[in-house]
Amino acid sequence: AQSVTQLDSHVSVSEGTPVLLRCNYSSSYSPSLFWYVQHPNKGLQLLLKYTSAATLVKGINGFEAEFKKSETSFHLTKPSAHMSDAAEYFCVVSYNTDKLIFGTGTRLQVFP
Amino acid sequence: KAGVTQTPRYLIKTRGQQVTLSCSPISGHRSVSWYQQTPGQGLQFLFEYFSETQRNKGNFPGRFSGRQFSNSRSEMNVSTLELGDSALYLCASRPGSNTGELFFGEGSRLTVL
């Protein structure tokens, strides 16, 4: 079955340190992959997307993600966390651009 | 360009009542999807409409229904409300049903007492 797994439900980092949020997808034909961010009581906002162009994708607010087919991964990274990055992050996969499959989310805490 | 607009933002209902939520997509977007978000179940897909036709449906009981109008605005209805229906209901739009990126509204927070 097609699926997406976010390996950590919670991640805590100190401000100014790197962020790594992990995402794996089930192997199938070429997926489209997305990362969304949700701040409290808000809707989801697209951070970045991969659609079979460059494997390293740069998004908003300094985030980037690398598509690794051999590892079926699409991890989200940021070199230096900011307090405003505290939010929930969703990895999303689509195999036929029709149906989107959402991960269970990773809550990022940033400590001063 | 205005974003996805959902109304109302907050509402409180009692068990057994029904509720209608509204979503206005981004201008030019013809696909509207609805999601339910709860702390226990996370984000769950309800249904997607494209050009007034339901294209996909999630695994929810028949109490949850929706429709889309010719101007692409969509409504979802929940009848005979249960306590477990308390959730944030998110609407998202995209230009067509086969383009991946979704644009979300801020949601309607429903509390059922």
Side-chain angles (χ1 to χ4, degrees):
Chain A
Q2 297 165 349
S3 65
V4 59
T5 302
Q6 290 185 245
L7 295 151
D8 307 293
S9 58
H10 290 86
V11 170
S12 297
V13 300
S14 298
E15 192 174 21
T17 64
V19 175
L20 170 64
L21 305 182
R22 299 183 293 167
C23 173
N24 285 95
Y25 62 93
S26 60
S27 180
S28 183
Y29 33 92
S30 297
S32 295
L33 292 153
F34 310 83
W35 275 100
Y36 282 84
V37 61
Q38 185 180 30
H39 289 93
N41 292 312
K42 297 288 187 181
L44 279 71
Q45 180 187 17
L46 181 70
L47 275 178
L48 48 81
K49 62 181 176 181
Y50 167 77
T51 53
S52 74
T55 56
L56 183 61
V57 182
K58 293 190 185 298
I60 61 172
N61 300 336
F63 283 94
E64 61 182 39
E66 186 172 7
F67 174 70
K68 291 188 176 180
K69 188 173 181 179
S70 60
E71 299 176 10
T72 61
S73 69
F74 190 59
H75 301 335
L76 182 70
T77 60
K78 183 173 180 178
S80 176
H82 192 271
M83 295 295 291
S84 61
D85 295 327
E88 185 137 23
Y89 293 79
F90 293 92
C91 182
V92 183
V93 63
S94 173
Y95 291 97
N96 59 4
T97 69
D98 187 9
K99 203 167 183 179
L100 279 76
I101 302 167
F102 282 76
T104 51
T106 298
R107 183 164 299 279
L108 176 65
Q109 281 187 300
V110 183
F111 293 104
Chain B
K1 206 179 222 183
V4 177
T5 305
Q6 291 188 245
T7 56
R9 288 292 317 279
Y10 301 91
L11 65 166
I12 300 173
K13 294 285 187 178
T14 56
R15 278 182 299 174
Q17 288 187 310
Q18 73 160 13
V19 66
T20 299
L21 308 178
S22 178
C23 173
S24 293
I26 291 172
S27 177
H29 286 192
R30 296 168 63 193
S31 168
V32 173
S33 300
W34 288 90
Y35 291 83
Q36 182 196 66
Q37 186 176 31
T38 59
Q41 300 296 319
L43 262 171
Q44 295 189 89
F45 171 73
L46 280 156
F47 26 66
E48 179 181 14
Y49 286 87
F50 177 76
S51 293
E52 303 178 66
T53 302
Q54 190 178 86
R55 288 290 303 267
N56 288 302
K57 188 177 189 305
N59 189 25
F60 277 82
R63 300 186 297 108
F64 292 81
S65 62
R67 59 179 176 168
Q68 187 180 32
F69 302 96
S70 58
N71 62 358
S72 294
R73 191 177 70 85
S74 177
E75 289 181 347
M76 68 161 283
N77 185 77
V78 188
S79 62
T80 320
L81 284 166
E82 300 177 359
L83 296 178
D85 297 333
S86 295
L88 180 66
Y89 290 87
L90 291 165
C91 167
S93 74
R94 50 183 176 173
S97 65
N98 61 350
T99 55
E101 181 180 343
L102 289 170
F103 297 82
F104 283 84
E106 296 209 324
S108 292
R109 182 164 294 281
L110 170 65
T111 301
V112 182
L113 302 176

